[in-house]
Amino acid sequence: MTGFAKASVRDADVDGKRVLVRGDLNVPLEDGKITDDARIRAVLPTLELLRERGAATLVCSHLGRPEGKDPALSLRPVADRLGELLGAEFPLAPGLVGDEVATVAETLGSGDVLMLENSRFEPGETKNDPELAKGLAALADLYVNDAFGSSHRAHATTEGVAHELPACAGLLLERELSELGRVRDDPKRPLVIVLGGAKVSDKVGVIDRFLGFAEEILIGGAMCFSVFKAEGRDTGDSLVEDEGVEAAKRVLADAERSDTLLELPEDLVLGRELSPKTQVQELNGVDVPEGWMGLDIGANTAANYAKRIARAGTVFWNGPMGAFELDPFAAGTRRVAEAVAEAPGHTVVGGGDSGAALAEFGLADRVDWLSTGGGASLEFVEGRKLPGLEAIPDA
Ligand code: ADP
Ligand code: MG
């Protein structure tokens, strides 16, 4: 079993109650315009359920990393977009907590919604200040955490407030726990983990967790060069992370002793520099010459990984296979993304850049689950305790 048994908003009696929902509405903004509203859409099912059931709903979230009350990071555009999507008035409160906010909250009726202002305008948010948590709790009767992507942080709106009110999981959070929980605890076999991206040190915990548990771990992206370096190979000018090399040495030794296949690239695409116009060369092998950087896995590696993904019972993918943002180095990530999209097994993708790659290739809705949490999804599958989740009582 997946071990998921958190109190759920489905079972909560919310009619006539004021409900505080923590969303992860930290959307990308350019010149005050939202460039991707996926995180806003992701929280809609919970808000719709609460409205249908007669709650008055207050929504809170952080946005960016403001220093003080930076108007450029107001949640106004998020409230406007939420309003459009819900077909409802979605006013913005003058802050996160306090008398003025409470006065507005008290006027809300059944089915009404109110956006609270950026939680990081309050210095107490990231400090998990108990006074701030109490201030939030004073606004509502019930707390719903629907911010999986923020649940690895012990902040006032993710953790502190959950101890001050009856707390439960929202629908998005519930889905995240069930999809990632299946990967972590009860995967259909064989389980194939695909890891890429830039930093080994971010992902070494995932390798540790799955060595001896997964059938196969396929490594691509820049992180493979820390592993190659640990094997004593030439890595040229490839991105190598010094602390990653030490971790990779340990991982290689652990892999020797485990039944898990740790698969590394057999060929590469090289460039002179990280630029779309750079000179490009295919390398049949992995010893990168001086003056070159490994920027993508090669075609044979991609075909091998695609074959393994196709026969997996479960695939968990985190991190692109190369510098996919640049056309000459996108093929490996594209091939892996297509393989994951076509795979008959249970497919789960975590990670901001892997999700962006899937979206760019038009494949985002072809996987079983695209997690809304990057760091949080990694910590969850590693088996670490996420403070925001720990604070929600079991069902
Ligand atoms: P995710 O957000 O999916 O967890 P990461 O943030 O770990 O992924 O890494 C994504 C970044 O890694 C991308 O910007 C990509 O360009 C970069 N990257 C992948 N492979 C390489 C490589 N071989 N050399 C340099 N950068 C790479
Ligand atoms: Mg990233």
Side-chain angles (χ1 to χ4, degrees):
M1 275 315 297
T2 62
F4 169 67
K6 292 289 176 195
S8 166
V9 66
R10 277 171 224 275
D11 305 321
D13 173 17
V14 300
D15 191 16
K17 304 262 175 68
R18 273 205 304 269
V19 179
L20 174 66
V21 176
R22 174 48 153 108
D24 177 11
L25 304 174
N26 183 29
V27 291
L29 288 173
E30 258 168 48
D31 302 325
K33 294 227 157 53
I34 297 165
T35 55
D36 179 358
D37 66 359
R39 287 181 168 175
I40 297 179
R41 291 175 181 276
V43 77
L44 287 178
T46 294
L47 300 188
E48 277 161 357
L49 178 113
L50 289 169
R51 292 188 74 211
E52 274 161 26
R53 295 196 181 169
T57 306
L58 294 78
V59 182
C60 68
S61 175
H62 76 286
L63 178 62
R65 294 170 186 272
E67 304 210 356
K69 299 188 173 157
D70 177 358
L73 289 172
S74 165
L75 279 164
R76 168 76 65 192
V78 171
D80 289 347
R81 185 76 188 118
L82 270 170
E84 276 167 36
L85 291 168
L86 271 183
E89 278 292 299
F90 219 119
L92 176 72
L96 179 70
V97 289
D99 293 344
E100 269 184 86
V101 178
T103 306
V104 183
E106 272 153 28
T107 65
L108 298 176
S110 236
D112 287 349
V113 281
L114 173 70
M115 185 84 226
L116 304 182
E117 190 50 286
N118 191 344
S119 60
R120 289 199 188 161
F121 284 0
E122 294 290 334
E125 161 72 329
T126 54
K127 293 185 191 127
N128 201 4
D129 177 1
E131 289 310 312
L132 182 57
K134 288 196 175 77
L136 280 159
L139 298 171
D141 307 304
L142 176 75
Y143 170 73
V144 178
N145 183 341
D146 216 18
F148 177 72
S150 308
S151 290
H152 58 321
R153 312 251 185 250
H155 291 170
T157 59
T158 58
E159 204 271 346
V161 66
H163 297 293
E164 302 293 337
L165 283 174
C168 64
L171 301 178
L172 172 66
L173 185 66
E174 221 176 26
R175 180 84 192 269
E176 290 276 6
L177 299 188
S178 121
E179 297 283 347
L180 292 163
R182 270 172 70 190
V183 171
R184 188 186 68 181
D185 303 328
D186 188 28
K188 223 170 126 231
R189 307 282 175 172
L191 169 60
V192 175
I193 307 292
V194 188
L195 291 178
K199 292 174 87 187
V200 202
S201 48
D202 278 358
K203 309 206 175 166
V204 74
V206 181
I207 303 180
D208 284 341
R209 156 74 185 134
F210 286 108
L211 271 178
F213 183 72
E215 277 68 25
E216 301 177 0
I217 302 175
L218 317 178
I219 308 261
M223 63 185 285
C224 72
F225 297 104
S226 297
V227 182
F228 287 143
K229 185 101 181 190
E231 288 182 325
R233 292 177 174 280
D234 295 331
T235 53
D237 297 340
S238 307
L239 196 65
V240 173
E241 198 197 353
D242 287 332
E243 51 172 331
V245 178
E246 282 315 305
K249 281 189 184 149
R250 190 172 49 73
V251 161
L252 285 167
D254 291 347
E256 281 288 307
R257 288 191 292 269
S258 86
D259 293 333
T260 302
L261 173 80
L262 186 72
E263 191 79 337
L264 289 160
E266 62 197 86
D267 58 351
L268 296 169
V269 181
L270 312 181
R272 289 282 187 190
E273 57 191 26
L274 200 59
S275 141
K277 298 210 170 80
T278 188
Q279 196 185 345
V280 178
Q281 171 185 197
E282 285 170 27
L283 176 70
N284 190 11
V286 295
D287 286 296
V288 181
E290 276 310 306
W292 293 87
M293 317 171 73
L295 290 172
D296 195 10
I297 57 172
N300 293 336
T301 305
N304 174 35
Y305 288 8
K307 181 185 74 189
R308 294 176 182 283
I309 288 164
R311 60 186 191 214
T314 305
V315 182
F316 176 69
W317 176 31
N318 176 285
M321 295 291 103
F324 76 97
E325 299 91 338
L326 309 177
D327 263 351
F329 310 108
T333 303
R334 181 185 288 271
R335 185 80 188 83
V336 163
E338 285 167 354
V340 176
E342 283 158 20
H346 178 224
T347 52
V348 178
V349 180
D353 293 290
S354 328
L358 268 180
E360 194 181 308
F361 304 143
L363 300 171
D365 55 2
R366 300 271 308 279
V367 297
D368 288 314
W369 186 243
L370 177 52
S371 176
T372 53
S377 67
L378 289 177
E379 290 193 21
F380 184 83
V381 298
E382 275 175 42
R384 283 166 48 185
K385 294 198 186 310
L386 278 55
L389 303 184
E390 294 302 306
I392 303 170
D394 292 340

